Amino acid sequence: MSGTSLDGIDAALVAIGRDTPPELLGTTAVAMPDALHKQLLQLCHAQEVSFAELAAAEDAFCRLQAKAVNALLTAQQLSPEQVQAVGSHGQTVEHAPGGHTGGPAYTLQLDNPSLLAELTGCTVVADFRRRDLAAGGQAAPLAPAFHQALFGRQQGEQLILNLGGFANLTWLPSNAETPVTGFDTGPANVLLDAWFSKHKGGRFDQNGAWAASGRVDPGLLERLLEAPFFQQAPPRSTGRELFHLPWLEHHLAGNEAPCDVQATLAELTAISVARGIQQLPLTHQGITVITCGGGAHNADLMARLAAHLPLADFASPSTYGWPEDWIEAGAFAWLAHQRLHQLPGNVPTVTGARGPRVLGGIYAP
Ligand SMILES: Nc1ncnc2c1ncn2[C@@H]1O[C@H](COP(=O)(O)OP(=O)(O)OP(=O)(O)O)[C@@H](O)[C@H]1O
Ligand SMILES: CC(=O)N[C@H]1[C@@H]2OC[C@@H](O2)[C@@H](O)[C@@H]1O[C@H](C)C(=O)O
């Protein structure tokens, strides 16, 4: 798994049984080298791109994935034959489930599952999003089905929040008749990372310390919250094509202190997540929010969220044997398993697809 933050490849070894929740057996993270990070970031925002550039980025990305998989196999003393399959999400570089200017809907993940199969000797399952899109869905978020497999056996309703580059929610109601709900709430870390990198250098604002040193600019916050995405009803998903640095800069008056902008961006994430949660038909507001993704490590962001949701209780998925950084990688292992067993991977009430669909294609070793 590599998410929208472009911070690296997360490889998770997962045991999936029929009657037990998926179990995390081992993990390996490989950081994204600066050159590849820059290359992929440029592609995400490019107006024009050559096939050679696309191929070069995809190749480098795929080789990094293979490095992560092979390191995990070595660490776990496993041969490729002992692994049923590798689920490869690929790298999202553009996500346009509504199409652009009247064009067809698309979502683009750079990936080369054939090369990954060749470099690892494993069966690879890939291209998870496009079947949901073909069935009229948003192709995202896909994690809710996995959240259901992982947390759905607990008593009562469950709420899962992912704070990655973008934020998404999954609500598992206690009543099996009530449909599972899930949607993207907007940016989580993507703007925080971009603004931090521009003004301070480095990839991210450790623990949100810089944001915590600033003051929220209410005018700027109001202007940012006017983005049509925040008013959109689910099913909804988003990405870097809506929320990016030039979008932020367009809303600046020009005289803001950079740390105040950072504080405002953190507040934007917290408010948009809180509003998403407040829209859910929760049976009680004192719900436990299982929080995963890198943003769970950002103390400033978590404090802001707690301030907007005073009755909620924030918990780590570690309680269930899954530390916050491994849920998404686990989701794509589980989705690969679903594909191998011809089982659906999407939740139509989440993505808006016409029905359950078996997601992805299989690439033999
Ligand atoms: N200690 C920390 N303090 C502040 N922020 C952190 C910390 N650790 C991680 N992050 C944030 O989390 C981000 C990475 O999160 P994660 O790996 O969940 O994103 P992703 O999987 O790429 O995103 P997505 O879920 O959108 O695909 C970093 O870019 C950074 O902004
Ligand atoms: C198109 C795409 O890659 N979307 C990501 C992104 O990152 C978070 C959020 O936006 C979510 O919709 C999705 O990722 C997770 C893994 C998902 O599909 O559930």
Side-chain angles (χ1 to χ4, degrees):
M1 176 71 202
S2 170
T4 50
S5 300
L6 304 166
D7 57 341
I9 310 285
D10 293 334
L13 181 69
V14 184
I16 301 165
R18 198 175 299 170
D19 303 316
T20 49
E23 196 186 341
L24 182 65
L25 301 179
T27 61
T28 295
V30 175
M32 184 83 74
D34 285 336
L36 182 58
H37 177 85
K38 202 171 152 202
Q39 202 177 358
L40 291 169
L41 202 54
Q42 270 168 2
L43 280 180
C44 290
H45 299 295
Q47 295 297 316
E48 276 182 32
V49 60
S50 73
F51 293 131
E53 279 174 297
L54 266 185
E58 189 172 74
D59 184 84
F61 174 76
C62 183
R63 287 176 193 279
L64 196 67
Q65 279 189 308
K67 191 173 160 187
V69 170
N70 289 334
L72 182 58
L73 293 181
T74 304
Q76 298 293 320
Q77 298 183 311
L78 286 173
S79 66
E81 302 77 42
Q82 288 174 284
V83 172
Q84 279 202 356
V86 174
S88 170
H89 171 264
Q91 182 62 59
T92 295
V93 287
E94 197 152 308
H95 182 62
H100 268 322
T101 54
Y106 64 94
T107 182
L108 180 59
Q109 283 75 47
L110 287 190
D111 206 3
N112 187 343
S114 300
L115 180 58
L116 188 57
E118 198 65 32
L119 294 175
T120 60
C122 295
T123 298
V124 175
V125 182
D127 190 14
F128 291 99
R129 298 196 187 273
R130 290 194 297 176
R131 182 59 191 269
D132 184 83
L133 195 87
Q138 290 279 312
L142 294 181
F146 174 66
H147 293 157
Q148 194 171 23
L150 192 55
F151 304 112
R153 294 162 207 249
Q154 310 299 322
Q155 287 289 309
E157 61 186 348
Q158 304 289 326
L159 184 53
I160 300 101
L161 167 65
N162 170 51
L163 296 170
F166 291 83
N168 53 291
L169 287 171
T170 302
W171 179 57
L172 305 173
S174 50
N175 175 353
E177 252 95 274
T178 311
V180 170
T181 303
F183 51 88
D184 286 359
T185 62
N189 294 301
V190 70
L191 297 171
L192 289 167
D193 288 357
W195 188 251
F196 181 83
S197 173
K198 177 173 171 151
H199 288 273
K200 308 290 275 185
R203 296 258 183 103
F204 66 86
D205 180 12
Q206 190 76 34
N207 298 328
W210 191 46
S213 74
R215 275 193 307 200
V216 173
D217 178 329
L220 174 61
L221 181 61
E222 202 179 316
R223 292 195 295 281
L224 298 178
L225 280 167
E226 277 167 12
F229 178 79
F230 295 122
Q231 333 306 332
Q232 219 173 292
R236 65 177 196 188
S237 61
T238 188
R240 286 179 179 271
E241 35 307 298
L242 278 186
F243 298 106
H244 45 67
L245 211 46
W247 172 81
L248 166 64
E249 287 167 345
H250 171 78
H251 290 91
L252 296 178
N255 56 357
E256 297 89 349
C259 62
D260 291 350
V261 174
Q262 189 77 351
T264 309
L265 291 174
E267 197 66 11
L268 176 72
T269 297
I271 290 190
S272 50
V273 167
R275 287 185 182 174
I277 292 177
Q278 283 152 355
Q279 278 163 19
L280 296 168
L282 301 177
T283 50
H284 63 106
Q285 295 298 315
I287 193 166
T288 298
V289 184
I290 301 173
T291 312
C292 51
H297 303 299
N298 182 330
D300 172 69
L301 180 58
M302 292 309 296
R304 290 178 194 278
L305 264 172
H308 286 288
L309 297 162
L311 298 178
D313 174 28
F314 293 86
S316 165
S318 295
T319 323
Y320 305 93
W322 283 81
E324 34 277 276
D325 293 326
W326 297 99
I327 301 280
E328 270 196 359
F332 285 86
W334 183 84
L335 284 166
H337 181 267
Q338 292 293 101
R339 175 63 190 89
L340 293 180
H341 293 82
Q342 300 281 20
L343 295 167
N346 63 340
V347 179
T349 53
V350 168
T351 63
R354 284 185 283 277
R357 294 290 186 272
V358 178
L359 306 180
I362 302 173
Y363 295 73

